[in-house]
Amino acid sequence: MRFDTLAVHAGEFPFTIDGAHPTAPPLVPASSYWYESVDDLDRVLGDAQPGYSYARYASPTVVGFEAAVAALEGAPAAVAFASGMAAIHAAVRACAPSPGAVLFASQDCYGGTFTLLNNTLTQEGLTVRFVDVFDLPALARRLAEERPAALLLEVVSNPLERVADLEAVLALGKTTGTPILVDSTFTTPYLIRPLSQGATAVIHSATKYLGGHGDVTGGVVACSSEEQAAGLRNWRKYTGAVLGVMEAYLSLRGVRTLSLRMTRQCANAAAVAHTLAGDRRIERVYYPGLAESPDYAVASRLFPEGLFGAMLAFAIRDADKPAVMGFLERLELIRAAPTMGDCFSLVLYPVIASHRGLTPAERRERGIHDNIVRFSAGIEDPADLLADLDQALA
Ligand SMILES: Cc1ncc(COP(=O)(O)O)c(C=O)c1O
């Protein structure tokens, strides 16, 4: 089946009530299961027979969501977690289990990931080195010299929407024998499927596009082998970082409309980016679909034709922090909330949200100036989005 059909049907599982088949997946909230024969329970608990026994180990609605993600990513299996952070934690730990292991991570990764690696996992004995994934010659040298246990990177950076040359990074992974973990939250399998190009695992915050409706916290790792999935399931079983059943249900429902939402969201992002690029009140638009973007060529090569993601950022000319706060305040339709990827459009001000923990000098060093606002396109009519941006800028 093709991607759009898989999105609608993958992960369906057999379930009948009095001979009838529900058209929606069942939401099975049971925390444990019993069998007619205790011998069956014994065999299930001993892994001698497949089956459900305890919801922290597995439950049908979660397995349905995992099967859908695996199908969309072209993975042999996927393992769902309580959040994107839990998924990243598990995937990193699977690659770098021993104290003293060295992990490379992209220096402009999501702030939560940065803190997890730099504080929590560093305290646990992991050595983390943040690297520039846009400087490929330097990355090649460091991978060859330092031989890290893995490299974790995001395809699209936040908030400046740089697009990493994932093909080139995966090729470097292959030549240096480095497992590559790809956080594809911004791109989703609709834009890119890194496992087919040799990624070791693909991670998503299902809180964003997979869920898509602002009502789920979840994460998932699409694995490159069944063995890797078994390790992650075991980790989840004993750390307890399980995806809730309701969250699995909502995530699976979100996946059903992923293709339609992504098509529309990417088109809306393009409409906003092109309009703002021609607006004299805007100093600069950060969006890989603009011909003048430094990543236009890479994005055109990596993503399906005409799609450049649904995220952008823009710098408001001559605006200081109070002016930007005033702009955010005046938006009527578009909400300022610290998330992205939902069917409704959102803005985020990195200075008070994602990059709050950095000093002004650190932000400037990363090109995150006080007048930059991130925009996550939803599925509304683009004319309404542009009208809202226009009146708030005015
Ligand atoms: C790229 C990326 N990865 C991971 C996460 C963490 O996901 P969650 O909030 O579901 O734990 C986020 C959250 O914003 C993110 O933007």
Side-chain angles (χ1 to χ4, degrees):
M1 281 189 281
R2 292 166 182 80
F3 188 91
D4 293 354
T5 312
L6 278 178
V8 178
H9 291 285
E12 287 173 343
F13 51 96
F15 188 83
T16 54
I17 304 168
D18 295 337
H21 305 273
T23 50
L27 204 160
V28 183
S31 53
S32 68
Y33 298 79
W34 64 277
Y35 290 80
E36 295 294 343
S37 158
V38 183
D39 287 339
D40 282 335
L41 180 63
D42 181 31
R43 278 191 288 272
V44 169
L45 286 171
D47 290 331
Q49 175 181 315
Y52 296 104
S53 57
Y54 192 58
R56 179 157 50 76
Y57 305 173
S59 58
T61 319
V62 176
V63 168
F65 169 59
E66 291 172 334
V69 172
L72 295 185
E73 288 288 1
V79 183
F81 288 89
S83 65
M85 292 308 302
I88 292 169
H89 187 204
V92 165
R93 268 289 176 227
C95 286
S98 54
V102 176
L103 177 85
F104 277 14
S106 50
Q107 63 192 16
D108 44 13
C109 61
Y110 165 60
T113 305
F114 182 86
T115 307
L116 169 74
L117 300 177
N118 205 35
N119 295 358
T120 317
L121 290 183
T122 299
Q123 279 160 18
E124 287 178 15
L126 193 71
T127 299
V128 183
R129 305 229 162 90
F130 292 96
V131 295
D132 182 355
V133 295
F134 296 96
D135 184 350
L136 291 169
L139 182 64
R141 221 172 23 251
R142 291 194 62 180
L143 287 173
E145 281 170 16
E146 298 174 52
R147 298 277 161 182
L151 163 65
L152 168 68
L153 82 155
E154 293 167 19
V155 188
V156 179
S157 78
N158 173 38
L160 301 182
E161 316 309 321
R162 297 287 323 268
V163 180
D165 188 343
L166 190 64
E167 275 173 4
V169 172
L170 290 170
L172 287 179
K174 213 168 277 176
T175 51
T176 57
T178 313
I180 308 287
L181 307 174
V182 181
D183 181 335
S184 192
T185 297
F186 275 48
T187 30
T188 83
Y190 190 66
L191 293 187
I192 198 160
R193 289 185 282 283
L195 292 176
S196 66
Q197 297 168 41
T200 300
V202 175
I203 306 161
H204 293 281
S205 164
T207 315
K208 318 299 182 197
Y209 291 104
L210 298 186
H213 294 73
D215 51 10
V216 171
T217 298
V220 62
V221 181
C223 302
S224 54
S225 70
E226 185 48 58
E227 188 191 356
Q228 182 188 54
L232 289 176
R233 284 188 207 109
N234 203 46
W235 166 276
R236 181 184 61 181
K237 185 172 175 177
Y238 295 112
T239 57
V242 285
L243 184 67
V245 170
M246 184 68 190
E247 284 74 10
Y249 177 87
L250 290 170
S251 301
L252 182 54
R253 188 162 76 164
V255 164
R256 299 301 182 227
T257 57
L258 181 67
S259 294
L260 284 177
R261 283 186 288 108
M262 282 304 283
T263 307
R264 176 64 174 242
Q265 287 175 264
C266 290
N268 279 357
V272 169
H274 284 101
T275 303
L276 292 185
D279 190 319
R280 58 180 175 71
R281 295 166 298 185
I282 299 298
E283 181 187 313
R284 182 170 169 188
V285 175
Y286 303 82
Y287 172 67
L290 294 177
E292 61 266 31
S293 159
D295 304 314
Y296 181 77
V298 170
S300 302
R301 172 158 49 81
L302 292 183
F303 304 153
E305 198 181 343
L307 298 178
F308 294 94
M311 301 293 299
L312 61 117
F314 52 89
I316 305 174
R317 192 179 300 283
D318 300 329
D320 55 9
K321 186 178 168 188
V324 174
M325 296 293 273
F327 163 75
L328 298 174
E329 204 73 68
R330 281 170 179 78
L331 287 167
E332 289 169 0
L333 170 67
I334 304 161
R335 300 265 150 74
T339 189
M340 35 81 62
D342 288 317
C343 58
F344 38 86
S345 293
L346 293 160
V347 283
L348 173 135
Y349 188 24
V351 167
I352 65 159
S354 57
H355 293 73
R356 190 185 185 104
L358 302 187
T359 63
E362 285 170 334
R363 279 197 297 269
R364 267 196 305 280
E365 214 173 276
R366 289 166 168 75
I368 300 164
H369 305 292
D370 282 3
N371 61 345
I372 291 181
V373 174
R374 186 184 81 175
F375 181 82
S376 168
I379 61 171
E380 300 94 336
D381 188 313
D384 289 324
L385 299 175
L386 291 170
D388 196 26
L389 290 166
D390 181 58
Q391 64 79 23
L393 283 169

